[in-house]
Amino acid sequence: MTPYQSLDRSVAGKTVLITGAASGMGRATAHLFAREGANVMATDMNGDGVAAVAAEIKEAGFANVASIALDVSDHDAIKASVAATVEQFGGLDILINNAGFARLAHPSEEAYEEIWEDSVAVMLTAHQRLIRAALPHLMKTETGGRIVNIASTEGLGATPLNGPYVAVKHGVIGLTRAMAVDLGRDGITCNAICPGPIDTAINASIPDDHKVIYAKRRVPLRRYGIPEEVANITLSCCLPAASYLNGAIIPVDGGMSIKNA
Ligand code: NAI
């Protein structure tokens, strides 16, 4: 028998760039990677917010974190942020495309066009730009570059009045599969997480009692998730030991996407 091979389950010393890290899942992901010993570049269009997140991580005793203001709809700023990450930490091993927003509209509404354009820019075009900017560095990573795109269960189905978001999240899944196929030969993996309902600022306008009713009706676990429950699956996709996970679309939704009735 071949001897059992123990694979590396640590991101210690790896460098990760996270978008949308001032809040919600991005913030939780920044905390978790820092706690696991990674160098964290936390980015967000909310520069003050992401600086505050970096400060709270440092206060918790994890020094290898920096922050930078990055609006992912700005192509030049993407390139500059990747360069700043490499300058600060000496490389870039892991990219987490997480930044996003939600705005509902019916196709008959005037605002639909603008929401569509913003959604494509922030939650789809930005992902490929970040991937392409990070690529030369991901290729140099000894244990294999890692990309995780945060899609949504809206990439697997559709909720009414959410057309632009549904379209771009389906696009994120397509991009993930395309990158998995194109970058696999360079030892880089690309996977997508599809969170279900997670308690973050993105859905803060939904009243709590509506959330409870919705979760009991739709989610087998009968509750919203918390950002840390997604961050831990994101981290798992980035371990050196996750070396054969590529092009996977992973629901983290309490079972919502497989529940028929
Ligand atoms: P959140 O609102 O707590 O955090 C989103 C962050 O993205 C904010 O800090 C915001 O400033 C940032 N952001 C927005 N536009 C940006 C831009 N142009 N450039 C840079 N940063 C920008 O929301 P949450 O829930 O943590 O969202 C993270 C990701 O998870 C998003 O892609 C969202 O679509 C996705 N998601 C969220 C779900 C949920 O129920 N919370 C469910 C499924 C997917």
Side-chain angles (χ1 to χ4, degrees):
M1 264 199 277
T2 52
Y4 172 76
Q5 292 190 49
S6 190
L7 302 180
D8 185 357
R9 294 178 52 78
S10 171
V11 293
K14 307 280 181 212
T15 297
V16 56
L17 187 155
I18 305 166
T19 68
S23 175
M25 286 182 260
R27 172 176 169 262
T29 305
H31 268 277
L32 181 60
F33 273 86
R35 274 156 207 269
E36 294 293 318
N39 306 314
V40 176
M41 179 57 87
T43 76
D44 200 289
M45 70 186 297
N46 176 357
D48 290 344
V50 78
V53 167
E56 70 186 21
I57 293 171
K58 281 186 184 154
E59 258 171 50
F62 305 96
N64 289 339
V65 56
S67 69
I68 198 164
L70 169 62
D71 181 334
V72 296
S73 62
D74 180 340
H75 198 174
D76 288 339
I78 284 176
K79 291 178 191 165
S81 297
V82 168
T85 306
V86 173
E87 163 106 21
Q88 171 125 11
F89 295 120
L92 178 54
D93 308 294
I94 301 166
L95 169 66
I96 313 292
N97 276 314
N98 166 79
F101 65 89
R103 279 168 68 193
L104 300 179
H106 186 269
S108 62
E109 283 177 54
E110 193 76 23
Y112 203 86
E113 184 70 26
E114 188 191 325
I115 296 172
W116 179 277
E117 283 185 8
D118 289 352
S119 299
V120 172
V122 172
M123 290 182 281
L124 190 52
T125 302
H127 290 33
Q128 64 86 4
R129 286 179 173 167
L130 272 143
I131 290 168
R132 295 184 64 250
L135 203 49
H137 310 289
L138 297 176
M139 280 176 172
K140 288 185 200 150
T141 303
E142 269 173 35
T143 50
R146 298 276 181 266
I147 301 164
V148 175
N149 296 322
I150 305 301
S152 170
T153 45
E154 294 288 72
L156 307 170
T159 300
L161 305 181
N162 212 12
Y165 188 89
V166 167
V168 296
K169 294 299 188 180
H170 277 74
V172 170
I173 289 174
L175 176 69
T176 300
R177 290 177 169 148
M179 294 299 105
V181 168
D182 282 340
L183 305 182
R185 67 175 56 187
D186 297 302
I188 298 169
T189 65
C190 183
N191 296 291
I193 307 278
C194 292
I198 310 296
D199 215 354
T200 70
I202 214 170
N203 45 42
S205 63
I206 303 173
D208 283 347
D209 53 333
H210 288 213
K211 286 182 183 167
V212 169
I213 293 164
Y214 176 88
K216 283 192 174 156
R217 189 165 50 85
R218 297 294 314 278
V219 182
L221 290 177
R222 295 173 64 82
R223 61 172 175 85
Y224 266 52
I226 59 170
E228 290 79 359
E229 290 178 306
V230 178
N232 274 280
I233 305 303
T234 302
L235 178 88
S236 300
C237 294
C238 299
L239 300 175
S243 42
Y244 210 55
L245 183 74
N246 191 26
I249 311 302
I250 304 169
V252 183
D253 65 352
M256 187 177 84
S257 54
I258 48 88
K259 183 171 182 274
N260 283 339

